[in-house]
Amino acid sequence: MTTREEQITDAFVELADCLVEDFEVTDLLHRLIDHALKLLDADAAGIMLADAAGVLQAVASNSHAVEALELFELQADAGPCVDCFRTGEPVTPRSLDEVRAWWPTFAPAVEALGYSSAQAVPMRLRDEVIGALNIFRTTEGALDERDLKLARALADVATVSLVADRTITARQLLADQLQRALTSRVVLEQAKGMLAERAGIGVDEAFTAMRDHARRSGRGLRDVAADVVARRGTIPS
């Protein structure tokens, strides 16, 4: 059986492997989410990144429901990712009462999905914050100190992979990466809906099927999604 320490090592190795030219941004973001769900006391997760103007965009999540929740967070301009991005520090309310007190508009949407905890850690390179990793839990309370440190480390490694070229500012390089991520997201949404309809499954199941197929075949998630949209090949569901 793989130990937690081995799982953590594997996670860092996998995220660091993206320090290569022309890596697939969408794959990196979803791998970060997968590792957060596997290694942390978390039930759901999502990622927001800032565009060239410093405006947060929802770019990845583990489910359609969480994606909608993050879009609501952006619309309300209130929530853990928003505060985390502004301060550059982890946002970890200690109870459901604190979630309600800090974000009275956002909290009902969190609770409606069955979550009792919403928190975030920054994605940053030195002093430049480029986004945040959102973490949701069905139990109350903040991540313990061990998990919080691990969450920050995972986010830091993913950030370095996104902005590996230190000769320009993180924000400048991220603009291109973010555009690629947003373009991929459009293709993914189309593919999820089309595969779900064809296979008679839910959109989250469709995404899982595409992601698993991409990893088994060694291809990028965006390329697999493009095949679904173009009706090329088949995806085991």
Side-chain angles (χ1 to χ4, degrees):
M1 179 180 294
T2 305
T3 66
R4 175 178 169 82
E5 289 72 20
E6 289 172 329
Q7 292 176 337
I8 291 173
T9 299
D10 290 344
F12 283 115
V13 169
E14 189 174 89
L15 292 173
D17 278 346
C18 291
L19 282 165
V20 295
E21 188 177 358
D22 295 329
F23 71 90
E24 177 54 60
V25 179
T26 302
D27 286 342
L28 169 64
L29 298 176
H30 283 286
R31 285 175 190 271
L32 173 57
I33 288 174
D34 288 346
H35 289 308
L37 295 178
K38 185 176 183 180
L39 297 171
L40 307 175
D41 184 14
D43 298 293
I47 296 172
M48 294 186 189
L49 296 177
D51 61 19
V55 178
L56 281 177
Q57 305 283 345
V59 293
S61 61
N62 72 297
S63 73
H64 188 71
V66 173
E67 178 185 337
L69 181 60
E70 291 208 306
L71 290 174
F72 180 80
E73 181 178 355
L74 290 174
Q75 184 179 32
D77 195 29
C81 258
V82 173
D83 288 358
C84 185
F85 176 66
R86 287 171 176 163
T87 65
E89 297 296 332
V91 175
T92 56
R94 294 166 295 181
S95 67
L96 181 56
D97 284 341
E98 280 197 350
V99 173
R100 293 166 176 160
W102 292 3
W103 311 300
T105 304
F106 179 61
V110 173
E111 292 184 75
L113 290 180
Y115 301 121
S116 298
S117 173
Q119 48 205 301
V121 295
M123 296 186 67
R124 62 185 302 163
L125 179 62
R126 296 189 290 274
D127 295 329
E128 190 157 13
V129 182
I130 66 170
L133 168 65
N134 238 340
I135 296 169
F136 301 98
R137 303 168 63 208
T138 56
T139 55
E140 284 193 55
L143 292 172
D144 63 31
E145 193 62 29
R146 183 185 69 163
D147 275 3
L148 181 59
K149 287 181 179 179
L150 179 55
R152 296 192 70 171
L154 290 169
D156 285 348
V157 172
T159 301
V160 170
S161 291
L162 282 169
V163 291
D165 188 344
R166 312 300 180 83
T167 64
I168 58 177
T169 68
R171 186 66 52 75
Q172 287 172 314
L173 183 59
L174 185 65
D176 177 61
Q177 304 284 29
L178 178 59
Q179 187 56 53
R180 288 164 59 189
L182 291 173
T183 301
S184 295
R185 182 181 162 195
V186 172
V187 177
L188 281 173
E189 290 302 313
Q190 290 178 323
K192 282 193 293 186
M194 293 176 69
L195 182 58
E197 183 178 359
R198 292 176 202 165
I201 57 179
V203 289
D204 290 339
E205 292 175 276
F207 171 75
T208 299
M210 288 191 296
R211 182 196 60 192
D212 292 348
H213 180 69
R215 293 181 182 177
R216 284 194 302 269
S217 60
R219 302 179 64 209
L221 180 58
R222 179 180 177 177
D223 292 336
V224 171
D227 282 352
V228 172
V229 173
R231 298 179 179 271
R232 292 190 295 263
T234 59
I235 306 296
S237 58

